[in-house]
Structure formats: C-alpha cells, structure tokens
Amino acid sequence: MTALAERPAAHLPSGITGAVGVLLAWELAARALDGTYLLAGPVSVAAYLMENAGLVSRALAVTFESAALGFVIGNLVAIALALMALLVPRAERLVAAVALFVSCLPFVATGPILRVIGGPGTAPQITLAALAVYYVTFLTLMVGLRASPSAWLDLVRSYGRNRWTEIVQVRARASLPYLIAGLQITAPAAFLGAMVGEFTGAERGMGVLAIRAMRGLDVTATWALATVASATAILVYAGIGWIGRRLNAAPPPIILSAPPPETRSSALGSVGSWLLLGAVATCAILLLWAGLMELFGLNEFFAKRPWHVFDFLVTASDAADHRAALFSALLETMYSAAPGYLLGLLLGAGLAVIVVSLPALASTVLPTAIALRSIPIITTAPLIVLALGRGSVGTITIVAIMIFFPTLVACVEGMRQAPAPVIDLFRTYSASRWTSLRLARIPAMLPAFFASARIAVPAAILAATVAEWLATGTGIGSLMAISASTSAYAMLWSSIVVVAALSAASYGLVSLVERRVLTVYASEQLSR
Amino acid sequence: MQPRSDVRCIGLAKVFQSRAGAVPALAPLDIVFAAGRTTAIVGPSGCGKSTLLRLVAGLEAPSSGEILIGAETPADVQRRGGLAMAFQDAALLPWRTVRGNVALSRHLARLAPDPHFVDELIALVGLDGFEDRRPAELSGGMRQRVAIARCLAAKPDLLLLDEPFGALDELTRMRLDQELPALWQQGGATAILVTHSVNEAIFVADRIIVLSDRPARVHADIVVDLPRPRDLSVLRSPEFRDLSMQVTDALGMGGPYERHPLVAE
C-alpha cells in the first residue's frame, strides 16, 4: 500500500524529464521537417495559441462542458447498470451484452443521426460523450464490486442483512478504487466523444475548429488544437488520480480482469450458453431499438426500425447490391483495422517487455505512456493523416496508436503482478533476466494482455471508421459518412447494425480466448 | 557432486535504509551452519530471521561481513544451481502442472531434464497421480509438497526453508514435518529452516539457534540430539519437553524483559 502511495511522488521528476524530452524531440522534428507542411513545433503552436487565445478558449469551454455532462451522465448510467447487474444476478450477462452492443455503435453513423434528431445544439455531442464512457466504467465497476473479500460479505450476511446493505456497507467502499480508475480512463474518452460529436456539424467547439483547420490544411492550427485537447485530457486524468489518492483509493492492481461469472455455466456448455446469450441479447436489442423509436415517435425517414434494415438487406429487390456495397466497404475497413489492432497490441506488449527488463527506462517511459494514454487519439487523426497521407498506412497507424498506450500500461502492470517469491525463486538460481521474463513475467502478463486485447476491439473499429471518415475516404467509415450526407438512412442504419454486430462479436470472441487463457494462467481470478 | 561444505557467516550485518532512517536488521553475526545438518532458526517476529536466510541465499547483499559456503560466495553457489529456497508461499507457477513446476528448478539450475527423477520425487512427496494437475487444483499442503519437490529436483547442497509450512494448519504441518525432512536429510544436504514453531524446530532440526529481537543476535544455541528417525511419539518424550522449555525460555528472555528490566521486576 505504501509503495503504491509513494509512487506518484517518486515518478514526478522523471515524468517531467519525459515531458521535457518529448517537447524537445517534437521541436527538433518540426525544425527538421520545416517546409513539408507536416509538423508544427511547440514554439509555433504556442504562438498560434497566444494569437487565438480567445477563440480556442471559447471552443474549449464549449467542448469541455459537453464532455463533462456526457461524462457525468455516462458514468451514472454505468453505476446504475452495475447495481442492476448486482441486484439481479440472473440478468447480469444480458445487461452486459446489451451494454456492450450499444457501446459498439459506430460514432460515425450515430453522430449524424443524433444530429438530425437533436439539431445543431450540444445534445448529440453530450450523448456521444456518454456513450464513449459508460461501458468501460461499467466493466471496471463490475470487477470492483466483485473485489470485496468474501469474509466481509459473510459478516453482513451473518446479521441477516440483504444484498442492498451488502452493497452500501461493503461493496461500494471496496469498489471505490475501481470506480476511480474507470473514471480516470474514461475522462479522455468523454472528450473524444464530444469532439467526434462536434465533427458531425456542431456550430461551436474544438471539434468544429479541428475540422476547419484540417480542411484548410492549417498545420499549425491542427497541431495546436490537438495539443490543447491532449493537455486537457492529461490534466483531467491526473486530477481524477489526485482525487483518488486524496480519497485513499490507490489504483487497484488489475482493473481489467474479466468479471468472473457468479453462476455455474449451464448444461449447454460454454459455447452453447454463449450462443443462447447472443440470441436473447439480440432479441432484447431489437425490442429496445424498435421500442425507443416508437416511444419517441421518431420519423421513419431518418429513424429506421429493425424491419427497414431487414428489408434493405434481405427482402428488397436490390438487396444483393446493398449487401455487396456494405460488405465490400466493411472488408476494406477490416484490412486496415485488423493489422492496426494486431500491431498496436504487439508493439504495446513488446515495449512493455523492454520497459520491465530495463528498469532505468521504466521511470521515464511509463509516466510518459500513462500521460499519452489519456490523449483522445482520434482528435490527433488529422495530424497522422497529414504525416502519412490518405492511404491505409495512416488508418493502420491511427488504430495502432489508439491501442498501443493502454496495452503498454496494462502489460507493464501485468508483468509486475508476478509474485515476489516467484521472482526470488528465479534469482536463487541466478536465472538470467530473459529466463525470468520468458518463464515468469510474460506468462504472468497474459491476463492483462488479453484484457486489453478485449477492450481494444471496439476502440480499433472506432478509430478505423473515424479515420476513414475524416481522412481516407475509404471503407465503411466513409460509406457511413456519405450515406449520412446523402440521407441514405437505410444504408446508414444497416451499417450501424453490421459494424456494431461485428464489433460485439469480435469482442465476444476475444473474451472466449481470454477465458481459456485465464483458466491456465490466472485460475485464481476465475475461481474467486 | 561437490563435497558438502559448512556455511559460515562472518561478521555478517545488514542495515536497511528507509525514509525514517537506517534500520539495523542483523547485528554483526558469526554463525557456522554445519555441513549436512539441519539447523533451525527461531526468534521473535520481525527479528531478522528471514533476512539472514535471504542473505545466505544471495537474495540480499550484506551491509558488512560475508558469507562463505566452503570457499564459495552465495552468488557462486547460485550460479551452479547449488542452493534451493522454499518460501512461505509455495510460489508455484499457476500455468505449469505439478510436473512442470518440479522440473522448473532443474531447468533454472541448467541441468539436463530428468523426467524419471522428477516423477520419482513427486511420488516421494506423496503426490503420485497428481503429476498433470495445476496448482489451482491442489490444497495448500499439496502445494508445499510440490515446492519441496521442486527444491530437491536440482539436488542442491544447501536448502533454505523460509517457514515453508508456516501458512498451513497444524495437522497438515505436522504431517509434512514428519514426511519431508527425511528426503533432504538422507541426501546429506545442509538445511537452514526458519520457523515460528518451537515444536517444528525441535522435531526437524539437529540444532536450534534462537535469535534476539531486532537487530538479531544469537541468543541461544541449542543442540537437538533426539534420535532419528523421529516420529510423533517423540513429542511426548521428556527430552523433547526439556528442549521445548529451553527454547521457550530463550525466546522469552530475548523479548521485552531484557530491554525493559523494570517490567520484569
């Protein structure tokens, strides 16, 4: 506990070293690339910000307000969902599956639809910000609510008290560190959601300025806005961490471990029960979808119902053409999302191994990586497109960067989970650093690695579709954007369904692999 | 195999640096652990017993003084795979089977794999039939049996046992104390056992060193000349009770009474 509490203080100077190093490298690179319209250094960024202080600060205030509102709403929804899952354990997997699907809805399509429904105000960006945060908080909170030592729960039960007392007296306090960690991770995501919402045609805000700068090929402005967005996210991230430490809620050891199932797997077996869950969840989602549309009486022109999508993709006379257009675009997206996903995971895990084996490096790289993890990567997409062009390399890079930092941080944490006696055991044989990495630390890292691989699936698809929309003009991201601007709402809704289904199914697939890995590499996490 | 050698601690001291200042864990100590014998170390909680063991294992560097095992340093012995340590936590790798965990020490000690010997050891610690199980499927006592088998798989000259049965229930502990020490004692390994249990120390060891409160000094050095093999009936012998009294007295005298004589008056 003390070691954890002392960590930030010990890391602060090296964090500053890292920041200074990044600034220096940035300026040098900008000078080297002078005249290529790729990179604006910190000096010209600062000059731009001084000149446009009023404009940028007004935009920041607008975006910050939307992000903050969405952040609060999304996290309240997450807390409500977690409580529901806890109070009605039977419904837990269904709640989780529906929540997952909703969080997989592609912003590129939901953004414009919300814009049509909500008009030019801030409602769409607030909604997207909420959608961007609630699932991760829900997940971390579920892990946290389960983290209470069973003896504490037995204590409450031994007085004949009910589940609600259990939640108030024990689980709420025990899960506080997890909630704080969830809030910390999702704060940048809220900012990202708000900015993407503004991309879809808001009147004011950082997103509006960013789009304008990118369209006008204003390199300095693009860099300045990305810098402000990143700095804001880092500050909020650090601020929540500070509040957490003030509340004496030190970061929990592993925050992304899969929620262990409370119920025994059914007689159908693991795959069978997953299929059953998928079927029930699909029904629930369809009901929810149609029900909401009808409840609010939304216009069928832009608020398509499930049967419209079914007609568009299956029963219409030109359904085959629709399917062909949709799936070829989807395939194109997968060609950049999948390599970017794998690249980000491998680079993250690889650098984590290097960082752990060279402790001198860890004190500089890790604080920098933790800070960079909080950057809303999408908002830097214009920069990467500036640098790498409009081909698939740019998209792959954006996806990889989006996944790289969280994976790095999680894997380093995971490798540090290797118990001290095990490391001592290796040392008593003078085992080389490589041997203990290979036989102890890397296997101990696998649970954290697969947890980030799972969380990274929707992130990868989000990053790929946004990059396609803003920059490359290919793939399903572009198809959704064009459909939105040409009011081809049937195509738009069909894309949403297909992308979210693919995203959720991939997530499910990775979590199946994760379960397999956990049964071998961290069986105690499953049996807890 | 190398001839067994005494473990000699010469002017051995350890001071830990903390924010509050220097914390001396071991006062300069001179102890010789006889080759081929089992020596138990007992002492009050936090007195530096484990530190002493970790120094001998080469896991900590002494602040002053040295440790020689024959003519070698702990680091030399580590490098030739000549020592093995067991911890209070069995420290098994959860993703390896029982067989894989036992074989691990041979791999780490750079020895050729010897599946036959590994299976033999698993049988000797009473786990035949469990070779392919993973640690999560074993009880605490079974895990410590695996840990001891892992220690022995590389045929070490020097065995360092840091309360390996400390977290187990009394019954399991007595059973392990009865079955396992013979495995290394017959092989002639030198063993140092840190324990909180006076009974365990007497039952297992040839000699008991009682350490004082921190910084640790040798407070008593008691020879256990009970005949071997020992079984549970020895617990009822007058010799055992006599030894038990000696150790308990030494522990009591090493406690607060000595430092606060007024309380004792």
Side-chain angles (χ1 to χ4, degrees):
Chain A
M1 238 15 212
T2 45
L4 276 176
E6 280 163 19
R7 208 199 275 166
H11 273 197
L12 196 60
S14 45
I16 290 169
T17 320
V20 170
V22 167
L23 277 180
L24 214 67
W26 177 11
E27 182 66 37
L28 287 176
R31 306 231 158 172
L33 293 171
D34 194 28
T36 56
Y37 294 98
L38 289 181
L39 194 56
V43 175
S44 49
V45 162
Y48 173 90
L49 290 178
M50 300 267 256
E51 222 171 279
N52 301 285
L55 178 72
V56 174
S57 57
R58 279 194 302 275
L60 183 62
V62 170
T63 307
F64 194 86
E65 192 190 320
S66 304
L69 270 171
F71 178 74
V72 170
I73 294 169
N75 283 308
L76 286 177
V77 170
I79 293 171
L81 284 176
L83 286 180
M84 192 156 95
L86 209 64
L87 286 171
V88 192
R90 278 171 170 281
E92 181 191 329
R93 294 178 71 188
L94 182 63
V95 169
V98 174
L100 168 68
F101 186 86
V102 174
S103 79
C104 286
L105 297 176
F107 287 5
V108 178
T110 47
I113 289 172
L114 287 168
R115 180 65 61 200
V116 175
I117 299 172
T122 51
Q125 44 269 45
I126 294 172
T127 314
L128 285 197
L131 281 172
V133 304
Y134 84 97
Y135 189 66
V136 171
T137 305
F138 170 69
L139 271 192
T140 40
L141 204 52
M142 283 313 292
V143 177
L145 289 167
R146 290 266 177 62
S148 326
S150 58
W152 298 4
L153 300 178
D154 289 344
L155 176 76
V156 174
R157 283 176 197 152
S158 70
Y159 289 98
R161 304 302 293 266
N162 58 16
R163 275 179 174 272
W164 182 248
T165 316
E166 194 179 292
I167 289 170
V168 172
Q169 296 293 340
V170 178
R171 293 193 196 257
R173 184 61 188 83
S175 65
L176 187 62
Y178 292 83
L179 178 63
I180 298 278
L183 295 182
Q184 227 183 343
I185 298 172
T186 54
F191 209 77
L192 181 150
M195 272 183 81
V196 172
E198 288 167 354
F199 287 169
T200 62
E203 289 171 331
R204 294 180 301 154
M206 295 285 287
V208 178
L209 292 188
I211 287 273
R212 206 182 291 160
M214 189 179 61
R215 300 248 156 93
L217 289 176
D218 187 340
V219 180
T220 312
T222 306
W223 275 89
L225 294 166
T227 308
V228 171
S230 307
T232 310
I234 291 175
L235 283 178
V236 173
Y237 181 90
I240 295 175
W242 180 80
I243 293 172
R245 285 192 296 278
R246 287 298 298 264
L247 293 174
N248 202 12
I254 281 198
I255 50 168
L256 297 173
S257 52
E262 216 160 64
T263 47
R264 295 272 121 221
S265 53
S266 70
L268 284 169
S270 151
V271 176
S273 76
W274 277 77
L275 288 178
L276 182 68
L277 175 69
V280 175
T282 307
C283 293
I285 289 159
L286 291 176
L287 273 174
L288 202 65
W289 173 8
L292 279 176
M293 301 287 122
E294 296 297 332
L295 185 69
F296 290 103
L298 294 175
N299 189 331
E300 285 194 3
F301 175 64
F302 57 80
K304 297 292 179 198
R305 318 296 203 252
W307 47 90
H308 296 131
V309 168
F310 185 77
D311 178 55
F312 182 76
L313 288 181
V314 183
T315 49
S317 57
D318 45 0
D321 295 342
H322 299 157
R323 285 199 304 269
L326 189 60
F327 286 107
S328 72
L330 190 64
L331 202 63
E332 206 170 13
T333 301
M334 293 313 291
Y335 278 133
S336 46
Y341 172 76
L342 294 176
L343 195 67
L345 285 181
L346 288 181
L347 287 179
L351 188 63
V353 170
I354 294 173
V355 163
V356 167
S357 41
L358 299 173
L361 202 62
S363 60
T364 310
V365 170
L366 215 56
T368 315
I370 289 176
L372 292 180
R373 176 174 72 166
S374 61
I375 293 182
I377 296 294
I378 302 289
T379 61
T380 63
L383 303 180
I384 292 159
V385 172
L386 279 178
L388 297 171
R390 293 179 177 266
S392 58
V393 178
T395 314
I396 293 175
T397 310
I398 290 169
V399 173
I401 294 178
M402 178 100 173
I403 288 162
F404 169 78
F405 290 110
T407 308
L408 169 65
V409 175
C411 287
V412 169
E413 277 289 307
M415 276 193 272
R416 291 189 172 159
Q417 295 293 312
V422 168
I423 299 304
D424 281 346
L425 171 78
F426 280 72
R427 286 179 60 209
T428 56
Y429 293 97
S430 286
S432 67
R433 200 164 261 172
W434 169 240
T435 305
S436 57
L437 264 179
R438 187 167 56 91
L439 294 177
R441 289 197 189 271
I442 292 179
M445 176 193 88
L446 288 179
F449 175 80
F450 277 94
S452 18
R454 172 168 48 89
I455 306 273
V457 170
I461 291 180
L462 171 70
T465 48
V466 172
E468 286 169 342
W469 165 39
L470 290 182
T472 63
T474 57
I476 195 120
S478 171
L479 178 69
M480 289 188 287
I482 293 168
S483 305
S485 57
T486 58
S487 301
Y489 285 108
M491 180 58 105
L492 191 59
W493 280 89
S494 305
S495 311
I496 293 180
V497 170
V498 170
V499 169
L502 176 73
S503 210
S506 311
Y507 182 101
L509 202 67
V510 176
S511 60
L512 270 180
V513 177
E514 184 191 10
R515 294 220 145 251
R516 278 282 162 83
V517 171
L518 283 182
T519 49
V520 174
Y521 288 88
S523 31
E524 72 283 355
Q525 275 189 32
L526 289 179
S527 58
R528 183 167 57 196
Chain B
M1 196 180 289
Q2 307 247 346
R4 315 282 186 199
S5 329
D6 290 349
V7 177
R8 286 176 297 144
C9 303
I10 304 153
L12 186 67
K14 179 72 185 176
V15 179
F16 285 107
Q17 298 300 334
S18 79
R19 289 192 178 194
V23 180
L26 291 184
L29 277 178
D30 291 286
I31 308 179
V32 176
F33 297 99
R37 314 308 296 269
T38 298
T39 308
I41 300 176
V42 295
S45 287
C47 78
K49 305 183 291 284
S50 289
T51 305
L52 175 59
L53 209 63
R54 293 175 64 82
L55 284 161
V56 177
L59 292 174
E60 306 274 355
S63 304
S64 64
E66 60 177 338
I67 297 164
L68 288 174
I69 299 139
E72 295 174 296
T73 65
D76 298 332
V77 182
Q78 273 188 0
R79 273 191 289 273
R80 65 176 173 82
L83 64 82
M85 188 156 175
F87 307 87
Q88 181 165 354
D89 180 313
L92 304 179
L93 300 183
W95 50 87
R96 285 184 166 237
T97 59
V98 166
R99 201 177 261 138
N101 269 292
V102 174
L104 177 68
S105 66
R106 289 191 68 83
H107 178 79
L108 293 179
R110 300 162 192 82
L111 296 172
D114 187 345
H116 183 72
F117 179 55
V118 165
D119 282 1
E120 199 180 297
L121 269 175
I122 294 172
L124 276 175
V125 297
L127 288 178
D128 41 340
F130 290 89
E131 290 86 350
D132 295 318
R133 301 294 183 90
R134 290 219 168 75
E137 302 173 73
L138 306 180
S139 69
M142 290 160 97
R143 288 182 202 183
Q144 283 300 351
R145 288 173 188 266
V146 179
I148 297 294
R150 179 180 62 195
C151 281
L152 300 177
K155 299 190 177 154
D157 311 325
L158 176 58
L159 198 60
L160 304 167
L161 306 154
D162 191 0
E163 286 192 66
F165 311 142
L168 303 178
D169 64 278
E170 190 63 28
L171 265 171
T172 310
R173 180 180 197 151
M174 263 158 55
R175 188 173 298 153
L176 297 192
D177 279 339
Q178 225 182 325
E179 294 176 20
L180 300 183
L183 297 179
W184 70 77
Q185 284 162 349
Q186 282 160 7
T190 310
I192 306 176
L193 167 72
V194 163
T195 179
H196 271 118
S197 159
V198 174
N199 281 357
E200 180 173 84
I202 302 169
F203 193 75
V204 171
D206 302 302
R207 174 190 173 203
I208 298 169
I209 291 173
V210 182
L211 294 183
S212 70
D213 219 338
R214 204 175 54 208
R217 294 166 212 281
V218 175
H219 195 78
D221 191 340
I222 299 161
V223 174
V224 181
D225 50 5
L226 298 170
R228 286 187 192 278
R230 297 170 190 168
D231 58 31
L232 289 180
S233 65
V234 81
L235 293 172
R236 286 192 290 274
S237 69
E239 294 84 355
F240 192 97
R241 257 177 278 151
D242 185 47
L243 280 164
S244 173
M245 219 108 79
Q246 281 184 49
V247 176
T248 316
D249 283 353
L251 280 170
M253 294 299 283
Y257 298 106
E258 192 183 58
R259 288 194 297 166
H260 306 289
L262 286 178
V263 180
E265 289 302 314

